[in-house]
Amino acid sequence: MRIGFITDARVEQLDWAKQNGFGSFQWNRFETSFAAPANRDWQGETTHFAGEAKSRNLRISAIGAHYRNPLDPAQSEFARTVFLRAIDVAAHIGVKTVAGFPGAVIELETSPKGLNPVYQPFEKFLPQVVSFWEPIAKYAADQGVRLAFEHCPQGPYHLPIMHYNILGQPAMWERFFNATKCENIGLE
């Protein structure tokens, strides 16, 4: 077993990891790294970074692609682009897992009793969640990569209500996995 940690893609972090006995790490903050979609020439720096990790006997266990709400319409296209690039990078350097938040569709209605805002239940939006993720998961599978979804609620005080992660509630895990046909999707 290798003990790992989460960090960004900087060689100084690799030195620190080696000095402190770590054997693996998840490359986080991918969307702002040298391999992000804004950088067309990502292969050289990515290969160099992976080589630096390997020379220190460190394994990149996963790439943390995007930790916001990819199902928010204002973020969806960017999130899709980031995940697709992260999958390409993972395949290029032999990393088998790309991770991030699955997101959630957030819609409110007004309660007729108290006239207060009430969240629509996440179950209602499972078809939208699946239709966003299945094409990305199929692309990942074709590259030999799997998707791992963070299950932290990410709401105020990390409570399991009022958050933007459909998989922040264990009750949704089985419903989501039953709704998708993709075998390369799991939890982080």
Side-chain angles (χ1 to χ4, degrees):
M1 175 184 354
R2 293 179 183 231
I3 304 297
F5 69 108
I6 296 173
T7 188
D8 55 3
R10 291 182 295 136
V11 173
E12 309 86 70
Q13 293 297 91
L14 302 179
D15 291 335
W16 181 88
K18 185 66 177 170
Q19 291 166 1
N20 288 284
F22 288 97
S24 67
F25 66 95
Q26 176 174 304
W27 166 1
N28 250 27
R29 297 187 188 103
F30 175 82
E31 66 196 47
T32 59
S33 76
F34 51 79
N39 185 355
R40 287 184 294 233
D41 301 321
W42 56 269
Q43 291 95 341
E45 286 185 78
T46 300
T47 301
H48 174 75
F49 182 71
E52 290 290 332
K54 187 174 184 176
S55 74
R56 291 163 177 79
N57 196 29
L58 294 170
R59 180 175 60 207
I60 303 172
S61 59
I63 294 174
H66 188 70
Y67 287 92
R68 292 191 180 96
N69 185 359
L71 299 175
D72 171 7
Q75 300 179 51
S76 292
E77 194 52 42
F78 177 71
R80 183 180 293 107
T81 302
V82 169
F83 271 96
L84 293 174
R85 172 61 66 84
I87 291 162
D88 289 340
V89 169
H92 179 72
I93 61 174
V95 173
K96 298 294 179 197
T97 306
V98 169
F101 283 147
V105 177
I106 308 295
E107 287 188 11
L108 301 173
E109 65 181 3
T110 302
S111 167
K113 292 182 179 179
L115 300 177
N116 55 301
V118 178
Y119 278 75
Q120 292 286 316
F122 283 160
E123 295 88 359
K124 178 179 176 181
F125 304 107
L126 267 175
Q128 284 176 261
V129 175
V130 170
S131 69
F132 179 84
W133 284 109
E134 279 193 341
I136 296 170
K138 288 175 184 173
Y139 181 78
D142 290 344
Q143 309 298 316
V145 173
R146 60 189 174 205
L147 298 179
F149 291 135
E150 171 69 56
H151 55 80
C152 179
Q154 291 303 304
Y157 312 107
H158 300 289
L159 296 173
I161 55 171
M162 299 175 19
H163 57 85
Y164 57 90
N165 186 347
I166 192 169
L167 298 180
Q169 299 169 326
M172 291 301 297
W173 298 351
E174 189 172 354
R175 292 177 186 145
F176 175 75
F177 293 123
N178 285 340
T180 182
K181 295 174 180 60
C182 296
E183 296 290 323
N184 64 323
I185 298 177
L187 295 174
E188 175 181 43

